[in-house]
Amino acid sequence: MNKELDDNPNNGYALAWIATIRNYQEEYGRALTAADLAIKNIPKKDKQYRALAYIVRAEVYVRLDEKEKALADFSSAIKETPDDADVYEKRANLYYHMEEYDLSDKDYQKIISIDPGNVMGYMGIGRNANAEKRYNDAIEQFDYVIKLASDYSSGYSFRAESYLELKQ
């Protein structure tokens, strides 16, 4: 990638992958710079790669504890690729950690509307219900997860946590 950038310093695609690599290496400043340049240099018509660059930058912001900037970038990624359930999941997870359960639930509901067989939407709604001490609602979600994917062990373990909280 560095060779490509030496030859073509405005290659937004290479910059997006460099940002990804630097994020994984916990080089957040360099990752942020590369992601900024990627967003500027990836053609507007290439929605997938622009979304990737926004997602990487959002993940860097999460690690830098700049949640509002991360939310803005996740939202920008969603505008680029509105049918990508994975982006909604990332934003929903951030909302969960911010204890914004209603907003998190909306994103998990969107995941379900995009991909009704995706267990992560139901798992997220259940996890939010557990956090709000609505254990019976959580159990209902986890029961459905188990029906969708009986081999997905997290459905059972999260449901067990709900039952433990109910002393059952």
Side-chain angles (χ1 to χ4, degrees):
M1 291 295 158
N2 286 327
K3 169 78 170 98
E4 174 60 25
L5 289 175
D6 287 342
D7 296 342
N8 300 296
N10 294 326
N11 182 331
Y13 302 101
L15 287 160
W17 289 113
I18 289 286
T20 302
I21 292 165
R22 289 182 175 157
N23 184 34
Y24 283 119
Q25 292 178 322
E26 299 179 358
E27 297 175 8
Y28 303 127
R30 296 174 80 194
L32 196 57
T33 298
D36 286 344
L37 291 170
I39 291 166
K40 289 177 186 171
N41 289 291
I42 294 172
K44 293 198 184 305
K45 65 182 180 182
D46 195 336
K47 306 271 187 208
Q48 288 296 127
Y49 266 92
R50 289 182 61 76
L52 170 67
Y54 279 119
I55 291 166
V56 171
R57 191 169 72 178
E59 290 173 347
V60 171
Y61 283 137
V62 167
R63 293 191 173 161
L64 295 174
D65 201 33
E66 295 191 50
K67 293 177 180 81
E68 294 305 319
K69 289 180 180 180
L71 287 172
D73 276 350
F74 283 137
S75 296
S76 293
I78 286 169
K79 286 179 189 169
E80 296 288 342
T81 56
D83 294 325
D84 184 348
D86 291 338
V87 184
Y88 289 98
E89 184 181 347
K90 290 177 185 296
R91 188 174 70 178
N93 191 50
L94 179 55
Y95 280 136
Y96 167 80
H97 288 290
M98 295 171 67
E99 299 180 4
E100 296 283 349
Y101 303 119
D102 57 330
L103 296 173
S104 181
D105 278 347
K106 284 182 185 179
D107 279 350
Y108 286 125
Q109 289 290 349
K110 183 65 177 178
I111 292 168
I112 293 166
S113 74
I114 293 169
D115 182 5
N118 186 332
V119 298
M120 296 315 296
Y122 304 101
M123 286 295 296
I125 292 169
R127 181 179 69 167
N128 289 345
N130 265 349
E132 295 179 306
K133 300 183 184 329
R134 295 183 294 109
Y135 303 115
N136 288 318
D137 293 341
I139 290 168
E140 184 179 316
Q141 294 300 315
F142 301 135
D143 283 345
Y144 195 68
V145 167
I146 292 165
K147 287 179 186 176
L148 287 175
S150 62
D151 60 337
Y152 184 62
S153 63
S154 291
Y156 298 97
S157 62
F158 276 66
R159 184 176 67 179
E161 289 177 26
S162 301
Y163 279 122
L164 285 171
E165 291 294 334
L166 291 171
K167 310 263 190 268
Q168 296 179 359

